[in-house]
Amino acid sequence: MSDNAAVPSFAVVSGGQVHRVLENRHRELVDLVEAAYRTHGAGDTVNPPSYFLRFPDRPTSRIIALPASIGGEVQVDGIKWISSFPQNVPAGIPRASAVLILNDHATGYPLACLESSIISATRTAASAALAADKLTEAGRRPRRIGFFGVGLIARYINEYLTGTGWSFDEAGVFDLSAEHAGGFADYLKRSGDGATQVTIAQSAEELIRNSDLIVFATTAGAPHVTDPGWFSHNPVVLHVSLRDLSPEVVLGATNIVDDVEHCLKADTSLHLAEQRTGNREFVDGTLNDVLTGALRPATDRPVIFSPFGLGVLDLAVGKHVYDSLLAAGELVVVEDFFHELRRYG
């Protein structure tokens, strides 16, 4: 480190600022996420396992820490701290909340604390849109989309698909809550840039069999879709929530992940498939393998993309927000945040 290294200022970035920077920048952010995947694939990242804080008195809830470091053009370290409390939903507030801490690459000092639920949803949706694009290039552009689970993530994925040029003839919706399914169907109809026909499916099987591109965005903790026959029409599946599909469904498909070590843990569907088989041979490769041309998914079986969600993606999007606000002179700096800066007082 240079002897002239300076302690950076510390900024707090609100959700409103994050939203203004990211709003309607779908193509730019998909490209940014693709660059982060390529940086990760090149080995210029550090992305240790996520850490789960669980509560014996609140078994459905958790808070997850995702530490990471990314090089390339981003050059930042940090950690996302994201909670998932499903019981928030009946109370009328979002299930997830999050903050992202960015650390200066040169000094290690924290640069900023950013509201990160929007950043997290953005990187998840951009990753899903990127995967959908790259997994359907060979004449497999779906015309029917199905949303299984209809919360914030499903809405963001729809926005990122339509915002990067996708359109559909039909959209199906399924959720355990009829109220939520109806609300999401109304949202799709109001948006006016998605499907020409929107249908609420009466069962999971109906949704899956009538969709060529399926988005799983649930809060399921264990597999609940168990019949491989439902996927006999070989759809592309964005398995964002990771725990919906039984090992039988997984083993009957081409499986693409964002990172093998991350995806095969914490009782994800792929982790359960590994426990069932005793090996990882059913994992065909990573999204970066698809990006680089090292893998071309087969078209004679379902294709399932299971992204565990890499902290390096949050850092890439968060640093973009930080740099944009810095360039615009809009960072809200906390004066005197670092107070004890003299070694001997």
Side-chain angles (χ1 to χ4, degrees):
M1 184 188 302
S2 168
D3 292 338
N4 297 320
V7 174
S9 59
F10 182 80
V12 175
V13 179
S14 71
Q17 289 179 298
V18 173
H19 176 74
R20 287 192 293 275
V21 171
L22 300 181
E23 186 178 22
N24 296 323
R25 308 298 290 272
H26 304 105
R27 172 51 60 192
E28 179 181 353
L29 289 161
V30 169
D31 290 345
L32 185 150
V33 164
E34 178 176 350
Y37 272 127
R38 290 181 182 275
T39 301
H40 182 65
D44 197 8
T45 63
V46 181
N47 206 108
S50 302
Y51 299 90
F52 290 73
L53 177 61
R54 300 185 184 276
F55 313 97
D57 61 327
R58 292 157 289 166
T60 64
S61 300
R62 63 193 181 187
I63 307 179
I64 312 171
L66 287 79
S69 174
I70 182 169
E73 297 183 359
V74 182
Q75 298 286 317
V76 74
D77 314 318
I79 187 168
K80 180 172 74 170
W81 182 239
I82 182 166
S83 69
S84 174
F85 278 52
Q87 291 308 310
N88 286 349
V89 176
I93 61 176
R95 171 187 60 85
S97 59
V99 293
L100 176 68
I101 302 294
L102 300 180
N103 291 76
D104 179 52
H105 184 76
T107 66
Y109 271 78
L111 291 170
C113 176
L114 300 87
E115 196 285 329
S116 198
S117 65
I118 297 171
I119 290 171
S120 186
T122 293
R123 64 86 153 145
T124 300
S127 168
L130 175 66
D133 181 50
K134 299 304 179 182
L135 296 175
T136 60
E137 283 185 331
R140 300 193 67 197
R141 205 60 140 184
R143 302 305 308 164
R144 303 178 300 171
I145 187 170
F147 292 95
F148 197 132
V150 294
L152 177 74
I153 297 300
R155 174 163 63 85
Y156 265 73
I157 290 174
N158 180 67
E159 290 178 1
Y160 268 77
L161 288 170
T162 59
T164 52
W166 286 73
S167 62
F168 301 94
D169 298 328
E170 302 175 26
V173 175
F174 180 77
D175 194 276
L176 295 179
S177 166
E179 177 186 357
H180 295 159
F184 194 78
D186 288 342
Y187 150 73
L188 290 176
K189 294 172 183 176
R190 292 195 315 270
S191 66
D193 55 2
T196 55
Q197 178 180 333
V198 179
T199 304
I200 299 176
Q202 299 306 303
S203 68
E205 180 179 1
E206 178 186 336
L207 179 89
I208 292 168
R209 288 189 181 276
N210 292 315
S211 302
D212 305 311
L213 176 65
I214 306 165
V215 178
F216 281 93
T218 75
T219 59
H224 52 95
V225 175
T226 61
D227 189 343
W230 295 0
F231 300 85
S232 60
H233 56 301
N234 300 330
V236 172
V237 180
L238 304 177
H239 190 204
V240 176
S241 39
L242 292 173
R243 294 173 178 85
D244 302 277
L245 307 177
S246 70
E248 291 82 4
V249 174
V250 168
L251 295 174
T254 296
N255 289 285
I256 311 297
V257 300
D258 54 359
D259 184 280
V260 176
E261 292 298 327
H262 282 73
C263 283
L264 275 74
K265 63 177 57 175
D267 290 332
T268 63
S269 295
L270 274 74
H271 189 203
L272 297 180
E274 179 188 28
Q275 295 173 30
R276 174 76 59 85
T277 63
N279 62 65
R280 297 179 171 183
E281 294 177 4
F282 59 88
V283 179
D284 294 86
T286 67
L287 182 57
N288 186 65
D289 292 331
V290 177
L291 294 176
T292 61
L295 172 65
R296 290 181 64 87
T299 59
D300 59 350
R301 59 197 330 221
V303 176
I304 301 174
F305 175 56
S306 298
F308 197 85
L310 300 178
V312 294
L313 303 183
D314 296 280
L315 291 184
V317 176
K319 185 61 161 39
H320 170 75
V321 171
Y322 177 88
D323 288 342
S324 298
L325 293 172
L326 177 64
E330 296 177 4
L331 279 178
V332 179
V333 172
V334 180
E335 300 295 343
D336 201 31
F337 186 82
F338 300 112
H339 182 64
E340 283 287 354
L341 296 176
R342 294 172 179 255
R343 177 169 239 180
Y344 302 111

PDB file of all heavy atoms in Angstrom, residues 2 33 54 98 102 117 166 243 269 325 340:
ATOM      1  N   SER A   2       0.485   2.260  -0.712  1.00  0.00           N
ATOM      2  CA  SER A   2       1.220   3.505  -0.783  1.00  0.00           C
ATOM      3  C   SER A   2       1.236   4.200   0.565  1.00  0.00           C
ATOM      4  O   SER A   2       0.281   4.150   1.336  1.00  0.00           O
ATOM      5  CB  SER A   2       0.580   4.430  -1.820  1.00  0.00           C
ATOM      6  OG  SER A   2       1.102   5.730  -1.717  1.00  0.00           O
ATOM      7  N   VAL A  33     -23.746  -7.350 -15.106  1.00  0.00           N
ATOM      8  CA  VAL A  33     -23.777  -8.652 -14.430  1.00  0.00           C
ATOM      9  C   VAL A  33     -23.024  -9.695 -15.261  1.00  0.00           C
ATOM     10  O   VAL A  33     -22.288 -10.531 -14.714  1.00  0.00           O
ATOM     11  CB  VAL A  33     -25.236  -9.074 -14.157  1.00  0.00           C
ATOM     12  CG1 VAL A  33     -25.331 -10.561 -13.830  1.00  0.00           C
ATOM     13  CG2 VAL A  33     -25.804  -8.247 -13.012  1.00  0.00           C
ATOM     14  N   ARG A  54     -29.666 -18.456  11.689  1.00  0.00           N
ATOM     15  CA  ARG A  54     -31.011 -19.000  11.841  1.00  0.00           C
ATOM     16  C   ARG A  54     -31.454 -18.876  13.296  1.00  0.00           C
ATOM     17  O   ARG A  54     -30.618 -18.718  14.201  1.00  0.00           O
ATOM     18  CB  ARG A  54     -31.056 -20.464  11.386  1.00  0.00           C
ATOM     19  CG  ARG A  54     -30.667 -20.638   9.914  1.00  0.00           C
ATOM     20  CD  ARG A  54     -30.849 -22.075   9.474  1.00  0.00           C
ATOM     21  NE  ARG A  54     -30.404 -22.295   8.106  1.00  0.00           N
ATOM     22  CZ  ARG A  54     -31.121 -22.076   7.025  1.00  0.00           C
ATOM     23  NH1 ARG A  54     -32.363 -21.605   7.142  1.00  0.00           N
ATOM     24  NH2 ARG A  54     -30.645 -22.324   5.822  1.00  0.00           N
ATOM     25  N   ALA A  98     -32.211  -5.568   3.259  1.00  0.00           N
ATOM     26  CA  ALA A  98     -30.778  -5.804   3.114  1.00  0.00           C
ATOM     27  C   ALA A  98     -29.989  -4.506   3.129  1.00  0.00           C
ATOM     28  O   ALA A  98     -30.493  -3.436   2.777  1.00  0.00           O
ATOM     29  CB  ALA A  98     -30.501  -6.542   1.799  1.00  0.00           C
ATOM     30  N   LEU A 102     -19.614  -1.568   1.161  1.00  0.00           N
ATOM     31  CA  LEU A 102     -18.501  -1.563   0.220  1.00  0.00           C
ATOM     32  C   LEU A 102     -17.231  -1.149   0.962  1.00  0.00           C
ATOM     33  O   LEU A 102     -17.244  -0.169   1.711  1.00  0.00           O
ATOM     34  CB  LEU A 102     -18.750  -0.578  -0.923  1.00  0.00           C
ATOM     35  CG  LEU A 102     -19.978  -0.808  -1.800  1.00  0.00           C
ATOM     36  CD1 LEU A 102     -20.055   0.263  -2.881  1.00  0.00           C
ATOM     37  CD2 LEU A 102     -19.956  -2.204  -2.419  1.00  0.00           C
ATOM     38  N   SER A 117     -31.901  -4.061  -0.790  1.00  0.00           N
ATOM     39  CA  SER A 117     -32.954  -4.940  -1.294  1.00  0.00           C
ATOM     40  C   SER A 117     -33.153  -4.717  -2.789  1.00  0.00           C
ATOM     41  O   SER A 117     -33.384  -5.668  -3.549  1.00  0.00           O
ATOM     42  CB  SER A 117     -34.258  -4.713  -0.528  1.00  0.00           C
ATOM     43  OG  SER A 117     -34.761  -3.406  -0.747  1.00  0.00           O
ATOM     44  N   TRP A 166     -37.699  -8.861 -24.479  1.00  0.00           N
ATOM     45  CA  TRP A 166     -38.537 -10.052 -24.518  1.00  0.00           C
ATOM     46  C   TRP A 166     -40.009  -9.667 -24.621  1.00  0.00           C
ATOM     47  O   TRP A 166     -40.445  -8.666 -24.070  1.00  0.00           O
ATOM     48  CB  TRP A 166     -38.348 -10.884 -23.251  1.00  0.00           C
ATOM     49  CG  TRP A 166     -37.061 -11.632 -23.178  1.00  0.00           C
ATOM     50  CD1 TRP A 166     -35.831 -11.088 -22.950  1.00  0.00           C
ATOM     51  CD2 TRP A 166     -36.872 -13.030 -23.324  1.00  0.00           C
ATOM     52  NE1 TRP A 166     -34.880 -12.079 -22.945  1.00  0.00           N
ATOM     53  CE2 TRP A 166     -35.499 -13.283 -23.169  1.00  0.00           C
ATOM     54  CE3 TRP A 166     -37.730 -14.095 -23.561  1.00  0.00           C
ATOM     55  CZ2 TRP A 166     -34.966 -14.566 -23.245  1.00  0.00           C
ATOM     56  CZ3 TRP A 166     -37.201 -15.375 -23.637  1.00  0.00           C
ATOM     57  CH2 TRP A 166     -35.825 -15.602 -23.485  1.00  0.00           C
ATOM     58  N   ARG A 243     -35.012 -24.368  -4.197  1.00  0.00           N
ATOM     59  CA  ARG A 243     -35.424 -25.538  -3.403  1.00  0.00           C
ATOM     60  C   ARG A 243     -36.795 -26.069  -3.813  1.00  0.00           C
ATOM     61  O   ARG A 243     -37.434 -26.778  -3.035  1.00  0.00           O
ATOM     62  CB  ARG A 243     -35.406 -25.171  -1.908  1.00  0.00           C
ATOM     63  CG  ARG A 243     -34.011 -24.878  -1.395  1.00  0.00           C
ATOM     64  CD  ARG A 243     -34.008 -24.351   0.039  1.00  0.00           C
ATOM     65  NE  ARG A 243     -32.645 -24.142   0.498  1.00  0.00           N
ATOM     66  CZ  ARG A 243     -31.934 -23.045   0.279  1.00  0.00           C
ATOM     67  NH1 ARG A 243     -32.481 -22.041  -0.412  1.00  0.00           N
ATOM     68  NH2 ARG A 243     -30.695 -22.926   0.717  1.00  0.00           N
ATOM     69  N   SER A 269     -32.047 -27.956  -4.094  1.00  0.00           N
ATOM     70  CA  SER A 269     -32.467 -29.113  -4.889  1.00  0.00           C
ATOM     71  C   SER A 269     -31.262 -29.858  -5.456  1.00  0.00           C
ATOM     72  O   SER A 269     -31.233 -31.101  -5.491  1.00  0.00           O
ATOM     73  CB  SER A 269     -33.393 -28.660  -6.016  1.00  0.00           C
ATOM     74  OG  SER A 269     -34.607 -28.139  -5.507  1.00  0.00           O
ATOM     75  N   LEU A 325     -23.286   7.943  -8.143  1.00  0.00           N
ATOM     76  CA  LEU A 325     -23.614   9.026  -7.211  1.00  0.00           C
ATOM     77  C   LEU A 325     -22.397   9.899  -6.936  1.00  0.00           C
ATOM     78  O   LEU A 325     -22.519  11.129  -6.813  1.00  0.00           O
ATOM     79  CB  LEU A 325     -24.149   8.436  -5.901  1.00  0.00           C
ATOM     80  CG  LEU A 325     -25.505   7.724  -6.005  1.00  0.00           C
ATOM     81  CD1 LEU A 325     -25.826   7.022  -4.696  1.00  0.00           C
ATOM     82  CD2 LEU A 325     -26.617   8.707  -6.371  1.00  0.00           C
ATOM     83  N   GLU A 340     -10.928   7.934  15.284  1.00  0.00           N
ATOM     84  CA  GLU A 340      -9.610   7.637  15.836  1.00  0.00           C
ATOM     85  C   GLU A 340      -8.674   7.242  14.706  1.00  0.00           C
ATOM     86  O   GLU A 340      -8.584   6.075  14.331  1.00  0.00           O
ATOM     87  CB  GLU A 340      -9.712   6.505  16.868  1.00  0.00           C
ATOM     88  CG  GLU A 340     -10.261   6.946  18.212  1.00  0.00           C
ATOM     89  CD  GLU A 340      -9.261   7.771  19.005  1.00  0.00           C
ATOM     90  OE1 GLU A 340      -8.094   7.909  18.571  1.00  0.00           O
ATOM     91  OE2 GLU A 340      -9.638   8.294  20.055  1.00  0.00           O
TER      92      GLU A 340
END
